[in-house]
Amino acid sequence: MNSSKIDILCLTEIEIKEIITAPPYSQPSYRAKQIFEWLHRGAKFDEMSNLPLSLRAQLKETCIIKTPKIERKLTSADKTIKYLFRLYDGEHVEGVLMNYEYGKTICVSSQVGCRMGCRFCASTLAGKVRNLSASEILGQVLAAQKDISKSVNNSKNAGGAPRISGVVMMGIGEPLDNFDETVRFLQLLSAPGGLNIGLRHVSVSTCGIVPRIYELAELGLPVTLSISLHAATDAKRSRIMPINRRYGIDELLLACRDYFDKTGRRISFEYALIEGENDTISDANNLAKLLKQYMGSEGERPFHVNLIPLNKVRETGLSGSRTTSVRAFASALKAQGVNVTIRRKLGSDIDASCGQLRIAAEQMAKKERAKIYNNSNK
Ligand code: SAH
């Protein structure tokens, strides 16, 4: 059974070494490096061609590689790719591969579903099913890397496959609600024998689980912390984000200050503009005042605001602000010296903001199950 097998893609090279040098494997320690490198290239045991056949068979028997399978793939006109991944137990998550001038960045999921309950978000509509393991989070990056490498090989492009050089944890789930696996994932992602992606090119996005922000700061990893703020007053924020009733804006921004002080990393604030909810000039002024109050107006603690018009999720009844409101909001922030970017909407033609493909897949699976059930009862 899967459950009794070793989840080998979760392990560091040192941990693999400890296991395979001991019985029943009793291998020389250099095998650990070979296995680790193969795993992080997305290989299956059968493909690990410099390992003895007997060891490959033994690994296959005792270990499982939890790389998600690509079940659907949507490519937009701007070459953004949206993946629907199927996990080993049949659950689904999503990932999005984006092309920026400076390289390819993938957005990965950290949980199946989410229990944070943000009112505008598709990922949380049906609650949380389970956490992803570090191997399943890393596996999304490996599967996408393998997929783009394959496409390049097929097209006989002499330049070689482009590498994924950045990761954002902004897919389905709340990474800080799955803290240990998130940290292990970051460790594996940046391992020299693996993808070796520098943590400066990684963002961890959170709705604001304050104690975990302090814990992350203690680790001193150079990841960018992205805060999904979306409102500048407790009254407004609590209305759209239940987490705010537990940890208010004051506590959250004090944690951000601490994060900067411990890591020296500029904080990024995400602000989704929702029509009629948080998108007036007075909201922009409140936001500028708030951030300057906590982070300093003279650039003591640098920060950045990312504005994004809300992607419409039918079930929530909320809509994104009009372009004119988005521009006016950005100008008001700029006028007060706030660093702000209107996030380019990549892949808007394949849209489905995170969580929507998964919902569709679950609904289809449910229908299939119902069909099978009905047929077997006829
Ligand atoms: N749980 C984490 C990460 C996942 S959500 C977090 O809350 O940050 C990634 C980002 O997408 C967050 O900023 C989230 O607030 C935002 N988001 C969710 N639904 C959205 C929607 N419909 N339109 C635009 N942004 C959305």
Side-chain angles (χ1 to χ4, degrees):
M1 261 312 285
N2 281 344
S3 55
S4 60
K5 289 189 171 185
I6 300 169
D7 179 359
I8 193 167
L9 188 56
C10 261
L11 304 180
T12 62
E13 192 178 318
I14 292 172
E15 289 166 338
I16 294 179
K17 191 183 287 180
E18 274 165 19
I19 291 176
I20 61 130
T21 52
Y25 308 94
S26 306
Q27 293 290 319
S29 58
Y30 68 86
R31 293 275 182 230
K33 186 167 193 285
Q34 293 175 323
I35 295 171
F36 189 84
E37 287 176 359
W38 277 119
L39 287 171
H40 290 246
R41 269 184 261 154
K44 302 195 183 87
F45 294 119
D46 291 332
E47 295 165 338
M48 301 186 178
S49 54
N50 57 1
L51 302 187
L53 276 173
S54 56
L55 176 58
R56 285 185 239 170
Q58 199 178 14
L59 289 171
K60 215 167 149 178
E61 192 66 29
T62 53
C63 301
I64 175 170
I65 307 173
K66 288 190 178 168
T67 309
K69 305 252 176 320
I70 297 172
E71 185 162 300
R72 270 182 79 192
K73 179 178 163 185
L74 304 173
T75 307
S76 77
D78 62 21
K79 299 272 187 296
T80 300
I81 303 177
K82 181 133 193 169
Y83 293 105
L84 177 69
F85 293 115
R86 186 174 198 276
L87 307 175
Y88 74 97
D89 61 354
E91 295 291 347
H92 293 92
V93 291
E94 293 169 32
V96 182
L97 186 66
M98 298 161 289
N99 291 301
Y100 292 112
E101 306 85 68
Y102 48 83
K104 286 187 183 289
T105 291
I106 186 165
C107 171
V108 294
S109 296
S110 55
Q111 296 177 318
V112 180
C114 182
R115 59 177 182 151
M116 295 297 124
C118 299
R119 247 182 70 205
F120 44 82
C121 183
S123 304
T124 198
L125 286 171
K128 178 181 119 176
V129 178
R130 68 170 176 86
N131 283 331
L132 295 193
S133 59
S135 52
E136 290 173 315
I137 309 175
L138 180 73
Q140 296 167 59
V141 189
L142 296 175
Q145 179 64 60
K146 211 171 166 185
D147 180 56
I148 55 175
S149 308
K150 204 169 61 195
S151 317
V152 169
N153 288 341
N154 289 346
S155 68
K156 301 206 168 37
N157 179 329
R163 307 291 308 169
I164 295 174
S165 56
V167 176
V168 296
M169 298 190 79
M170 292 189 180
I172 297 170
E174 166 53 47
L176 299 190
D177 186 40
N178 184 14
F179 190 82
D180 293 347
E181 297 301 315
T182 291
V183 171
R184 182 169 271 267
F185 158 67
L186 296 173
Q187 190 184 4
L188 293 169
L189 184 71
S190 54
L195 290 172
N196 200 3
I197 295 180
L199 294 183
R200 293 179 173 275
H201 305 289
V202 178
S203 293
V204 173
S205 184
T206 179
C207 62
I209 304 185
V210 166
R212 298 282 170 270
I213 295 176
Y214 284 104
E215 246 181 274
L216 191 64
E218 273 314 311
L219 297 177
L221 305 172
V223 293
T224 299
L225 184 66
S226 237
I227 301 290
S228 299
L229 193 59
H230 306 324
T233 64
D234 279 320
K236 286 207 175 191
R237 194 164 192 267
S238 292
R239 207 162 67 209
I240 50 175
M241 301 179 72
I243 188 75
N244 198 71
R245 295 176 211 147
R246 181 90 173 268
Y247 308 108
I249 289 181
D250 173 60
E251 272 183 276
L252 176 58
L253 290 176
L254 288 175
C256 291
R257 277 167 75 144
D258 177 73
Y259 190 85
F260 176 82
D261 293 344
K262 297 254 166 67
T263 63
R265 302 290 293 158
R266 180 177 85 157
I267 308 281
S268 183
F269 293 99
E270 307 295 312
Y271 196 101
L273 287 156
I274 311 172
E275 190 172 45
E277 190 76 36
N278 63 359
D279 63 346
T280 65
I281 296 299
S282 135
D283 289 315
N285 291 339
N286 285 340
L287 180 63
K289 196 165 144 218
L290 177 79
L291 294 179
K292 290 205 298 204
Q293 179 193 336
Y294 283 90
M295 308 303 282
S297 48
E298 303 299 327
E300 297 99 284
R301 294 184 178 86
F303 63 90
H304 192 93
V305 174
N306 274 317
L307 294 179
I308 179 165
L310 189 84
N311 282 314
K312 195 177 172 70
V313 176
R314 194 171 31 85
E315 293 87 339
T316 66
L318 300 171
S319 307
S321 305
R322 289 158 214 274
T323 312
T324 46
S325 322
V326 177
R327 291 216 183 104
F329 198 97
S331 303
L333 289 180
K334 261 185 218 152
Q336 300 184 61
V338 171
N339 256 319
V340 56
T341 313
I342 300 177
R343 232 201 283 162
R344 206 150 53 93
K345 252 189 161 179
L346 291 175
S348 44
D349 52 334
I350 53 170
D351 192 66
S353 65
C354 251
Q356 290 183 312
L357 269 188
R358 174 179 162 256
I359 292 175
E362 295 305 320
Q363 282 168 353
M364 232 148 75
K366 235 189 242 165
K367 271 191 206 151
E368 284 302 313
R369 279 197 294 271
K371 241 195 256 166
I372 294 167
Y373 178 79
N374 288 339
N375 286 341
S376 64
N377 276 319
K378 268 179 194 161

